[in-house]
Amino acid sequence: MRLSYPTSIKIIRVPCTGKVDVIHILRSFEKGADGVYVVGCMEGDCHFNKGNFRARKRVAQAQKMLDDIGIGGERVKMYNLSSSEAPLFVKFAKEMFDKIVELGPNPIKSAKKKNINRQTEAA
Amino acid sequence: MIVAEKKPMEEVIKEIKDYKNILLLGCNECVTVCEAGGKKEVGILASALRMYFLNQGEEKRIDEVTLERQCDHEYLEEIRDRIDTYDAVLSLACGVGVQFMADKYVSIPVYPGVNTCFLGATEKRGLWTERCQACGQCILASTAGICPISRCAKRILNGPCGGSTNGKCEISKELDCAWQLIINRLKAMSRMDDYEILLDIKDWSSDRAGGPRKVVREDVQE
Ligand code: SF4
Ligand code: SF4
């Protein structure tokens, strides 16, 4: 089909979305990601039965945590599709991309830069 | 095990906001099982706190260590060589661990990162229920293995009370009446005759009412 999706999206492959934990999502933000979305199989179709349900809950936990610390829970989202739905994959990618553009960059990135500047000024 | 719950982020932030070098100390036992203060929770909280403070323009050093237990000297000793490099410790162990930490390292402020709730069991993942109030005089032998002290709202010894309806406690329709559970179990064991035996007045001197308690075993002391 050769569909294209925004090039700034980096794909991290996991054996099942059930492998994704809250810490992976938070660390991504700590390292400067502007948004994270998890794409799992359709609910009910998980090869490991509950993997995508677990992922959904962890995404919700990460959202709450990011809201609590002022980074914004909307930067994280869970999607479901089946492996043959490439157009849907592109649709989700674009939707998430637009959402992040609207929200602007991860505030941690600029905070880190400001901090470095402050430190060099002090030195 | 001891069941605890994570404190709200806001409260944790308030506790540690004035310190720069913080040790986030988890515990590998009870609080790991109830998903409140194990290695995983330490990692998540540390990451979230680092981001929060960075976003406020403050870079803090928040290190992560999870000990086997925080209620034993030998494990708490493992941090002795590095403890002086921190301004405060945020402990995710139960209240016992937090206090033992405070006892041992007198000059460093220690803050609790969890609320210690009760002695309980994991009914299923994400559901923990109270099972014991550590009364110091266990009466489970006479109550079919079900504890009316921790599971009956009124702690009655010869129940149920008049509020027991369709097996539920009068304080909540969700809550099983402990005495109904006791009767069910006595029936299942064909021991209903035991139900007729009145329980004596309980000796509460071994409970908290007698002040802080201790267990001394001279035979095993060194
Ligand atoms: S410190 Fe508390 S949570 Fe950790 S093992 Fe001891 S009793 Fe359990
Ligand atoms: S009778 Fe006392 S020691 Fe026994 S389970 Fe109940 S509260 Fe715990």
Side-chain angles (χ1 to χ4, degrees):
Chain A
M1 266 192 254
R2 297 202 178 277
L3 302 170
S4 60
Y5 59 91
T7 51
S8 54
I9 293 174
K10 290 195 180 60
I11 294 189
I12 299 171
R13 282 196 276 177
V14 286
C16 167
T17 49
K19 173 77 193 157
V20 181
D21 221 319
V22 184
I23 190 65
H24 301 129
I25 302 176
L26 291 189
R27 286 261 158 84
S28 315
F29 284 97
E30 226 183 323
K31 288 184 173 170
D34 297 315
V36 173
Y37 65 107
V38 179
V39 188
C41 299
M42 296 302 287
E43 292 188 349
D45 282 350
C46 176
H47 187 70
F48 302 102
N49 296 336
K50 290 183 187 161
N52 46 7
F53 288 110
R54 292 199 170 120
R56 180 168 292 281
K57 291 216 159 167
R58 291 172 191 156
V59 162
Q61 286 172 31
Q63 282 169 335
K64 159 114 195 4
M65 201 124 229
L66 290 167
D67 272 335
D68 283 352
I69 59 173
I71 308 291
E74 328 91 292
R75 292 180 182 275
V76 188
K77 200 163 168 163
M78 174 85 200
Y79 288 107
N80 298 85
L81 48 65
S82 77
S83 54
S84 58
E85 292 176 298
L88 203 54
F89 181 89
V90 171
K91 181 178 168 262
F92 293 158
K94 285 187 175 151
E95 191 180 299
M96 195 64 195
F97 179 82
D98 291 343
K99 177 91 206 165
I100 296 300
V101 169
E102 179 197 322
L103 292 171
N106 172 359
I108 288 300
K109 270 193 292 194
S110 54
K112 263 190 190 160
K113 251 184 234 150
K114 260 189 233 154
N115 236 336
I116 293 169
N117 288 345
R118 221 178 291 141
Q119 278 162 7
T120 38
E121 269 166 35
Chain B
M1 64 167 175
I2 293 180
V3 179
E5 229 178 354
K6 292 189 256 187
K7 274 192 183 288
M9 184 64 86
E10 216 186 320
E11 192 179 338
V12 174
I13 290 171
K14 224 191 237 165
E15 288 181 340
I16 60 158
K17 66 179 187 344
D18 298 327
Y19 302 103
K20 183 144 177 52
N21 300 297
I22 298 147
L23 175 63
L24 191 38
L25 197 60
C27 177
N28 243 338
E29 303 261 354
C30 321
V31 289
T32 296
V33 183
C34 60
E35 304 189 37
K39 195 171 177 200
K40 204 168 185 173
E41 289 74 32
V42 165
I44 292 169
L45 185 59
S47 172
L49 288 171
R50 277 192 296 265
M51 284 196 272
Y52 171 81
F53 287 111
L54 205 57
N55 205 17
Q56 305 289 311
E58 270 179 87
E59 190 150 15
K60 287 193 194 294
R61 169 178 155 229
I62 302 180
D63 288 351
E64 307 163 22
V65 173
T66 299
L67 299 176
E68 198 50 40
R69 281 198 289 281
Q70 284 187 39
C71 51
D72 262 318
H73 285 296
E74 59 180 303
Y75 302 112
L76 270 185
E77 276 303 327
E78 289 171 14
I79 53 168
R80 182 164 300 279
D81 56 340
R82 57 196 293 188
I83 195 75
D84 289 339
T85 66
Y86 299 103
D87 311 317
V89 174
L90 176 61
S91 165
L92 296 196
C94 71
V96 180
V98 177
Q99 292 182 63
F100 215 49
M101 174 76 210
D103 269 9
K104 209 170 175 61
Y105 299 109
V106 212
S107 57
I108 184 155
V110 185
Y111 294 92
V114 302
N115 289 323
T116 305
C117 304
F118 50 75
L119 301 181
T122 311
E123 285 204 22
K124 58 178 184 184
R125 194 163 173 206
L127 177 65
W128 295 274
T129 50
E130 185 161 20
R131 287 286 193 276
C132 173
Q133 287 195 347
C135 73
Q137 258 288 339
C138 194
I139 55 160
L140 287 176
S142 322
T143 57
I146 291 159
C147 170
I149 308 303
S150 55
R151 300 177 70 183
C152 159
K154 294 176 184 154
R155 295 176 144 199
I156 33 179
L157 293 183
N158 295 290
C161 72
S164 176
T165 316
N166 299 326
K168 298 294 173 189
C169 173
E170 68 177 338
I171 68 160
S172 156
K173 286 193 176 65
E174 314 277 294
L175 189 71
D176 287 330
C177 161
W179 273 99
Q180 183 67 56
L181 296 178
I182 293 170
I183 290 165
N184 294 351
R185 195 143 193 278
L186 283 172
K187 273 188 194 152
M189 296 186 293
S190 310
R191 266 179 44 194
M192 265 310 270
D193 287 349
D194 287 6
Y195 182 59
E196 301 302 325
I197 307 169
L198 289 183
L199 258 79
D200 282 342
I201 291 172
K202 192 166 161 37
D203 172 7
W204 287 105
S205 65
S206 58
D207 188 70
R208 247 299 295 179
R213 298 164 283 178
K214 62 172 139 186
V215 171
V216 184
R217 281 277 310 272
E218 272 167 11
D219 59 332
V220 295
Q221 281 180 4
E222 283 172 13

